[in-house]
Amino acid sequence: MTKIQKRQTFCQSTSYPAGTAFAYKIPEGYLGNLNEEQEAKVRAMWTIGFKFIEICEADVDASKNKTLEEQYVPPAKQSRRLPRGASETHEKYPNLVNEILSLLPTTEKNLERLAQQAVESLDNWTPEMYRLIVLRVVKHEHPDALALRFLRTCNWDVIKATTMMGKTIYWRTIEAGVDDDILKHGDGGAAEDEKNNRGIARSLGADFMKQARWGKSFIHGVDRAGRPITHIRVRLHRSSDQSVQSLERYTLYLLELARLSLRHPIETGTILLDLSGFKFANFDLSPLKFILKQTETNYPGSLGLILIHNAPVGLKTIWRLFRVWFDKELRSKVKFTYGKKGLSRWIAPNQMIKELGGDDDWEYTYVEPDPDENYKMNDTETRDRLLAERRELSLQFEDLTKEWVMNAQLSEKARQICDRRNQCVEELAANYWRLDPYVRARSLYDRLGYFRGANGVDWYSSNADEESQQEMLEKIRSIDSCGASHYEEIHDPGDESCYDSD
């Protein structure tokens, strides 16, 4: 690990439940533990973006009077389709691909093939979309951590990772409306639509609230690795209870809330598929299918484990037959568990809810939205001031990143730039938490006091005794200022009652 990589920093939550044995040792390939080749790939991803912005914005005529479609809909998604193999970006900027190829660290011998992949990548971007990464998408996360999720998913192929990220940015902003609709609307907006709207809006609102009130899916607690758990109670799901659009909307809402609960770049999420009381007559795993599809395409690297709990024998047999259809990484994350003993391998008993045989005396109870809970969203003056502050910080990050990628990795100057860049990232995270109540409707987890903004997430504040909290704080203090850990990995004793998928 280089000196620069050791100086990478990330924000660590100080609110963990008693019994959580989080492995603070950062895996290789994550922020804070990159080898020289991996760091070079991160630099290359930013280099592609800034070179793309520089060349596009140098064309003054092309930059003037852009329509919204031209600003945020990349050529690959625009209505005017070019012949197969043609590229609008390449036609406008014929030297762009060659310039980008000269900046990439690659062992690819077929440069013609690599150039074609670069063309495909660039056609999934606009300069304005690149700026949305820091302005809108990363929220409280380090931008490098987001880039690394795509790089790891694409096996460190910079061009493929850039293409995938471009498609995700477009999906978030245009197709799914994650920030401008789903999070801005929230369950408070759905409750209002259910009560006072008409037509499709009223139907979607009622379907959304039905899922929230029944608790078919919810987030609660963390597993032994500190990952937030999304519970899916399959027995409560009936496909006829809501439209496909409502199901997908509610699922995306939960995925985004789970993402907000992540507090450092090595966390992912765990899905607990509770099949207790499940009957094959009601076989419908639509929520899980949709989550898997989204984590594969739009939330890469965000899934840590899939715990299939108390599955009927028949379902386990079906999985053994069809597991070959899934990639090795996904198969390795699927674990079958039975009873409290099996589940306790992955979730500490005092973090396991009573419904699953655990010691945590917690039951899902939906708290209706308060009509006035989103009053800050009406304060557009404060919102706009914080957004302007974020735009300024994002431009600072852009300038510092340009300096960072242009300086030798082991130089003293690069180290100083890295420090200033990480400080800018911390300011961006702090800005997001000040901005959050002005752009995101409050959720159930805000009402219950679990989400605490910049102070992290506390699922078990009433259960953690003072001694356990002090022990966890000591473990957190063992992490040095550069994100390196002196705390040993957790011991996983194994459990013969837990059936792995491998």
Side-chain angles (χ1 to χ4, degrees), residues 26 33 44 61 85 103-104 117 137 175 181 191 210 227 282 290 294 298 311 330 336 343 356 364 382 395 439 471 493:
I26 303 173
N33 188 6
D61 292 335
L103 299 169
L104 289 179
Q117 291 177 335
V137 177
E175 293 182 343
D181 182 12
K210 185 185 296 183
R227 295 175 289 222
N282 301 322
F290 184 71
Q294 292 302 323
N298 297 312
L330 179 59
F336 282 81
L343 195 57
L356 298 172
Y364 180 84
T382 301
L395 291 175
V439 294
E471 179 184 358

Side-chain angles (χ1 to χ4, degrees), residues 8 22 30 80-81 90 100 106 119 154 164 171 177 182 209 234 238 243 248 252 313 320 350 385 391 415 421 476:
Q8 295 275 17
F22 183 75
Y30 286 73
R80 184 175 73 85
R81 306 297 296 179
H90 192 46
I100 286 179
T106 181
V119 166
C154 296
M164 186 180 185
W171 169 84
I182 293 176
M209 295 306 297
V234 178
R238 302 290 185 277
S243 66
E248 294 182 353
L252 286 177
V313 176
R320 285 172 173 165
N350 62 338
R385 176 177 57 78
R391 281 191 291 271
R415 183 192 66 77
R421 183 171 177 264
I476 290 167

Side-chain angles (χ1 to χ4, degrees), residues 25-55:
K25 186 175 180 180
I26 303 173
E28 185 175 306
Y30 286 73
L31 189 63
N33 188 6
L34 303 177
N35 61 39
E36 291 186 27
E37 182 181 0
Q38 291 165 344
E39 184 176 316
K41 297 294 181 73
V42 179
R43 289 168 176 259
M45 282 196 72
W46 291 116
T47 301
I48 290 175
F50 295 140
K51 177 59 68 174
F52 179 66
I53 291 173
E54 176 188 323
I55 292 178

Side-chain angles (χ1 to χ4, degrees), residues 46 67 150 172 294 357 419 454 460:
W46 291 116
T67 64
F150 289 93
R172 286 185 63 88
Q294 292 302 323
D419 287 346
Y460 296 95

Side-chain angles (χ1 to χ4, degrees), residues 140-184:
H140 62 299
E141 189 175 19
H142 196 303
D144 286 357
L146 181 68
L148 283 164
R149 292 182 191 275
F150 289 93
L151 281 168
R152 291 192 300 270
T153 298
C154 296
N155 198 26
W156 299 94
D157 186 313
V158 175
I159 293 295
K160 289 182 179 178
T162 302
T163 302
M164 186 180 185
M165 184 184 280
K167 291 179 178 179
T168 294
I169 301 298
Y170 176 77
W171 169 84
R172 286 185 63 88
T173 55
I174 304 300
E175 293 182 343
V178 170
D179 297 300
D180 290 334
D181 182 12
I182 293 176
L183 289 178
K184 185 177 180 179

